[in-house]
Amino acid sequence: MIEDQASSLRRMNQPNLIKVIAVTGGKGGVGKTNITLNTAIAMAKQGKRVMVLDADLGLANIDVMLGLRVEKNLSHVLSGECLLEEVLVEGPAGIKIAPATSGTQSMTELTPTEHAGLIRAFSELQSKIDVLIVDTAAGISDMVLSFSRAAQDIMVVVCDEPTSLTDAYALIKILNRDHGVFRFKVVANMVRNLREGQELFAKLSKVTNRFLDVALELVATVPFDENIRKAVRKQKAIVEVFPSSPAAIAITNLAKQALKWPVPAQPGGHLEFFLEQLVDQGTEVQRDKV
């Protein structure tokens, strides 16, 4: 089914692709969701239409981090109770958020049919967006792998903990050897300074260079910043409440850089989980009318 959708899209003329970035990390506690949210808000402040997908489908937390009231979530979309458009909530700077559910194990074990249903949900989305950022769950589950290999860019968030590096390597290894992903962008988070971030990246690169056929790129070093904790307690994003703080400046620079990453001329490469949405919605409407 996914291949059929991919083939139909490739036959369409001049698709206007959306930038899709997956933010992952192998383990929890590395600050992945903070990086996701603040990058999205920083992009929106630069005039981009941004959507965040909370892909931790069983333990959602993006809406909680922002203190947003959510009445429906992706589980209601998959059950057919509503359209994706109806579950979207608006966050800071006008970003759109597709919230997941919390405490629902079935959402962490979607079948191929349910995967396809989520694809169709995105194809029916009327909101036009420039960037879709996917905040994956921790670990190396099938869902994490599916979301990661579907994106055009994968940002792996690591911190200076042995388990962080070990789990990041495991994730990169599986995506590379089993799914043919070769390029990864790395964010060194909660580091004391630029040098520590570079050393952290060097540790990970040393192992991947020895055992894997991958290319890693250090795209940001985000310093440890007490203002992040203050922002979290306020249920706010640090780029909103402490925009001049070291972490906010680093993430804003990351957002500027990410917006310059090239978008491929046409879909291809991996499963393309969001293929149906990676075309201009106007073209989609025209196809429906034929």
Side-chain angles (χ1 to χ4, degrees), residues 57 73-82 107 110 113-119 121:
L57 299 181
N73 54 57
L74 289 177
S75 68
H76 298 97
V77 177
L78 289 174
S79 68
E81 295 179 44
C82 61
M107 285 293 291
L110 297 186
T113 300
E114 289 169 326
H115 279 184
L118 195 52
I119 293 173

Side-chain angles (χ1 to χ4, degrees), residues 6-272:
S7 298
S8 66
L9 278 176
R10 292 189 181 101
R11 289 194 297 268
M12 297 178 69
N13 294 326
Q14 298 179 335
N16 181 23
L17 297 181
I18 294 168
K19 184 185 295 293
V20 182
I21 301 171
V23 182
T24 188
K27 74 178 291 291
V30 297
K32 176 176 52 59
T33 299
N34 256 314
I35 295 293
T36 298
L37 278 176
N38 283 282
T39 300
I41 294 168
M43 286 179 171
K45 286 177 172 291
Q46 296 174 56
K48 299 300 180 181
R49 299 167 297 184
V50 185
M51 178 179 293
V52 173
L53 170 60
D54 190 345
D56 194 346
L57 299 181
L59 292 171
N61 58 11
I62 285 182
D63 54 310
V64 176
M65 288 187 68
L66 293 175
L68 299 175
R69 181 180 178 182
V70 173
E71 296 182 356
K72 295 183 179 180
N73 54 57
L74 289 177
S75 68
H76 298 97
V77 177
L78 289 174
S79 68
E81 295 179 44
C82 61
L83 299 175
L84 178 61
E85 193 81 29
E86 297 176 69
V87 309
L88 297 181
V89 292
E90 186 168 314
I95 67 169
K96 300 291 185 181
I97 298 170
T101 184
S102 187
T104 306
Q105 185 175 358
S106 61
M107 285 293 291
T108 67
E109 302 169 347
L110 297 186
T111 66
T113 300
E114 289 169 326
H115 279 184
L118 195 52
I119 293 173
R120 287 194 298 272
F122 272 84
S123 74
E124 296 164 358
L125 188 64
Q126 296 301 310
S127 299
K128 291 190 176 183
I129 58 175
D130 302 307
V131 184
L132 173 64
I133 304 182
V134 183
D135 183 35
T136 76
I140 52 175
S141 68
D142 288 342
M143 285 301 297
V144 172
L145 298 174
S146 292
F147 282 115
S148 296
R149 68 192 188 217
Q152 299 149 356
D153 293 292
I154 301 174
M155 286 204 311
V156 181
V157 181
V158 296
C159 63
D160 193 14
E161 295 178 6
T163 52
S164 172
L165 291 176
T166 300
D167 292 352
Y169 173 76
L171 175 63
I172 292 170
K173 177 182 177 180
I174 293 174
L175 286 169
N176 175 236
R177 291 189 173 179
D178 297 348
H179 303 291
V181 182
F182 298 98
R183 297 185 180 278
F184 299 85
K185 293 173 167 38
V186 178
V187 175
N189 194 29
M190 297 184 287
V191 295
R192 287 177 292 184
N193 49 50
L194 175 61
R195 181 177 177 179
E196 184 177 278
Q198 292 171 333
E199 291 175 349
L200 186 60
F201 176 73
K203 290 178 184 178
L204 182 60
S205 297
K206 183 178 180 179
V207 182
T208 58
N209 289 342
R210 183 176 178 183
F211 298 106
L212 304 176
D213 179 22
V214 298
L216 302 188
E217 178 186 1
L218 180 63
V219 294
T221 57
V222 181
F224 177 82
D225 191 336
E226 282 292 345
N227 290 304
I228 290 182
R229 188 171 299 177
K230 293 177 183 177
V232 169
R233 285 200 294 262
K234 292 174 178 287
Q235 292 184 299
K236 303 287 184 181
I238 190 171
V239 295
E240 283 271 290
V241 291
F242 303 112
S244 300
S245 65
I249 292 173
I251 295 173
T252 298
N253 289 334
L254 168 62
K256 291 178 180 178
Q257 181 181 347
L259 289 175
K260 297 177 182 178
W261 296 341
V263 178
Q266 60 181 202
H270 312 304
L271 284 184
E272 300 294 2

